[in-house]
Amino acid sequence: KLVSSSATIDTGSFTAKEYLLIQCRLIATSASGCAVRYAYNGVVTSTYDYNYSLNGAGSSTALADTKVNPAGVDLAVSDEAFFNVWVHNVADQNKTALSHFMTKVTAMKNSIGSSLWNDTSNAITSFQANQDTTGYPSGEWDVGSEVVVLGYDP
């Protein structure tokens, strides 16, 4: 949980498990809007494929991106978002994930998506929720934003 504003929330290292549930509560600072992107293990190379459907519309897709965009939603000043990512996490396989994202903005927004991390050498052992600096160069996550990771090995 953040105790001061930051452009990134990093879980730090955790023990790899075959199944992960990653829960994020993100609050945009009062200074700027934000848009979330996430990565695993600090890897920000073109190894992520993803798609999402916002509010039931047709899907948006990206291949070989440097981070995952789970929703296509920008958060305005002081908006909040909550999302879950369910991940199948086996070191020698590409990592597959399903996500559900919602915002607490004036008009509720809801997004469902999937993603693939094209890495067959490493299991996921950390998670970073990054502020998209392209659209919001000064945006940050506010105090109280947090990421929780739960894992299970069958």
Side-chain angles (χ1 to χ4, degrees), residues 26-30 32-34 75-80 140-142 145:
L26 302 172
I27 307 165
T29 62
S30 59
S32 176
C34 293
L75 280 66
V77 173
S78 300
D79 279 347
E80 291 185 43
E140 291 188 329
W141 305 123
D142 212 350
S145 296

Side-chain angles (χ1 to χ4, degrees), residues 14 66 144:
F14 55 79
T66 58

Side-chain angles (χ1 to χ4, degrees), residues 13-154:
S13 184
F14 55 79
T15 302
K17 300 288 185 180
E18 183 174 353
Y19 296 96
L20 299 174
L21 169 57
I22 302 167
Q23 298 183 314
C24 301
R25 176 180 177 239
L26 302 172
I27 307 165
T29 62
S30 59
S32 176
C34 293
V36 66
R37 305 292 183 267
Y38 68 81
Y40 303 121
N41 296 359
V43 175
V44 290
T45 58
S46 300
T47 54
Y48 300 96
D49 302 335
Y50 62 84
N51 69 50
Y52 60 83
S53 173
L54 178 59
N55 293 331
S59 68
S60 297
T61 301
L63 303 175
D65 208 339
T66 58
K67 297 175 189 166
V68 175
N69 176 348
V73 173
D74 295 341
L75 280 66
V77 173
S78 300
D79 279 347
E80 291 185 43
F82 183 80
F83 72 96
N84 291 313
V85 183
W86 294 269
V87 186
H88 185 235
N89 182 34
V90 177
D92 65 354
Q93 298 175 15
N94 289 324
K95 310 325 164 262
T96 54
L98 297 173
S99 63
H100 186 199
F101 184 100
M102 57 98 32
T103 60
K104 277 179 72 175
V105 294
T106 306
M108 183 70 70
K109 294 182 181 179
N110 179 37
S111 180
I112 296 174
S114 61
S115 62
L116 177 72
W117 182 31
N118 296 292
D119 184 314
T120 56
S121 301
N122 301 288
I124 297 166
T125 56
S126 70
F127 177 88
Q128 298 75 37
N130 301 286
Q131 185 338 77
D132 177 20
T133 55
T134 303
Y136 299 94
S138 62
E140 291 188 329
W141 305 123
D142 212 350
V143 172
S145 296
E146 63 184 322
V147 175
V148 175
V149 179
L150 305 169
Y152 172 73
D153 275 329

